[in-house]
Amino acid sequence: MNYSAALIEGLTVRASGRQCGIDKNTSFRWRHRFLTLPAATKANHLQGIIEADETFFPSSCKGQRHLNRPPRKRGKQIHVRGTGKDQVPVLVVRDRSGATADFMLNALDKKTIEPPLRAILAKDAIFCSDGAAVYRSVAHSLGITHHPVNLSAGIRVIAGVYHIQNVNAYDSRLKQWMKRFHGVATKYLERYLGWRRWLERWGGHNSPIIGLQAALGRENQFQLLMQT
């Protein structure tokens, strides 16, 4: 229970270990055991007005002894936005109920983006994105209504309701929360994304027992039990 509480607090590996009276290596192993199943728990059906946007994380070999590139200083920021070898794009998709899914991508093109969106978007969804051509192409292929927001022209809201402000706010919270870890190894990034989704799902109602249920893959059953 103590380690679950440390996850809710968003403590680092070392701080979690100190709180639970274990060494940092044991703390690291416990963290990833707790996060394995939450990493795979994401919304599988989004409906209504749906917002999508991509965010980027530095590609990181943190913890690896042999690198295939020159080492970077710890926590160094990547200032060029894009999909180069130094960055990992993550597509975040969120509906107005707060249901959220995210996907680590190899590229930001139609071939890569369309399959995950096709799997989770309702057929009558109203899709909101920025003005990138790839989103127009995907929406056309899926046959769904699309409202692109032309941010470069200063247009942030269409008809008072179509925008991507919710997903942008989520991205901002995610990036701010991730800063405490001073860089996350790319091979573990999906687990941290799942960790954040779990925290967002439960918000102020989260508790160590819920964290334990999530780690055991029983989160949905526990949620249904609480509603009865």
Side-chain angles (χ1 to χ4, degrees):
M1 289 295 185
N2 287 342
Y3 205 87
S4 182
L7 290 175
I8 293 172
E9 294 178 49
L11 300 183
T12 64
V13 165
R14 291 179 184 273
S16 298
R18 286 194 297 268
Q19 180 164 299
C20 298
I22 55 178
D23 65 44
K24 65 180 180 62
N25 293 328
T26 301
S27 178
F28 178 84
R29 290 194 298 271
W30 283 17
R31 167 169 293 182
H32 289 285
R33 286 175 183 172
F34 266 84
L35 296 180
T36 297
L37 291 179
T41 304
K42 62 181 73 175
N44 57 19
H45 182 73
L46 301 179
Q47 57 189 350
I49 299 175
I50 297 163
E51 304 175 25
D53 192 30
E54 69 278 1
T55 189
F56 298 86
F57 293 91
S59 176
S60 173
C61 300
K62 186 177 181 179
Q64 297 182 28
R65 295 183 181 276
H66 304 289
L67 306 181
N68 56 9
R69 57 162 176 77
R72 291 194 298 264
K73 290 184 178 180
R74 184 183 184 192
K76 181 180 179 182
Q77 296 295 309
I78 304 297
H79 295 290
V80 180
R81 187 174 186 271
T83 57
K85 62 181 180 179
D86 288 332
Q87 296 195 77
V88 178
V90 174
L91 175 65
V92 181
V93 193
R94 187 172 170 89
D95 69 20
R96 295 290 170 84
S97 74
T100 304
D102 46 51
F103 306 93
M104 289 176 59
L105 305 175
N106 294 319
L108 284 173
D109 55 26
K110 183 174 183 289
K111 181 180 178 180
T112 306
I113 291 177
E114 183 176 333
L117 291 182
R118 181 179 293 277
I120 64 171
L121 299 191
K123 293 182 178 180
D124 59 351
I126 300 174
F127 186 58
C128 300
S129 72
D130 62 24
V134 64
Y135 292 121
R136 292 197 299 271
S137 180
V138 169
H140 178 75
S141 180
L142 297 181
I144 58 177
T145 301
H146 181 217
H147 290 286
V149 180
N150 191 347
L151 299 176
S152 61
I155 300 173
R156 299 187 177 277
V157 182
I158 298 173
V161 67
Y162 304 119
H163 56 75
I164 56 173
Q165 294 174 2
N166 291 320
V167 73
N168 284 341
Y170 179 89
D171 288 348
S172 179
R173 294 193 300 273
L174 170 64
K175 298 296 278 287
Q176 185 63 35
W177 176 79
M178 291 281 269
K179 285 182 179 179
R180 70 191 68 193
F181 304 116
H182 302 289
V184 172
T186 298
K187 66 179 180 179
Y188 295 129
L189 180 56
E190 282 193 332
R191 296 183 182 182
Y192 282 74
L193 294 173
W195 183 359
R196 185 64 207 180
R197 291 194 309 272
W198 167 59
L199 293 176
E200 292 264 345
R201 275 197 302 276
W202 290 94
H205 300 290
N206 216 339
S207 69
I209 185 64
I210 292 173
L212 183 59
Q213 296 300 319
L216 295 173
R218 300 173 182 168
E219 184 180 353
N220 290 338
Q221 297 93 315
F222 187 76
Q223 190 171 25
L224 290 173
L225 182 63
M226 291 181 64
Q227 293 172 352
T228 59

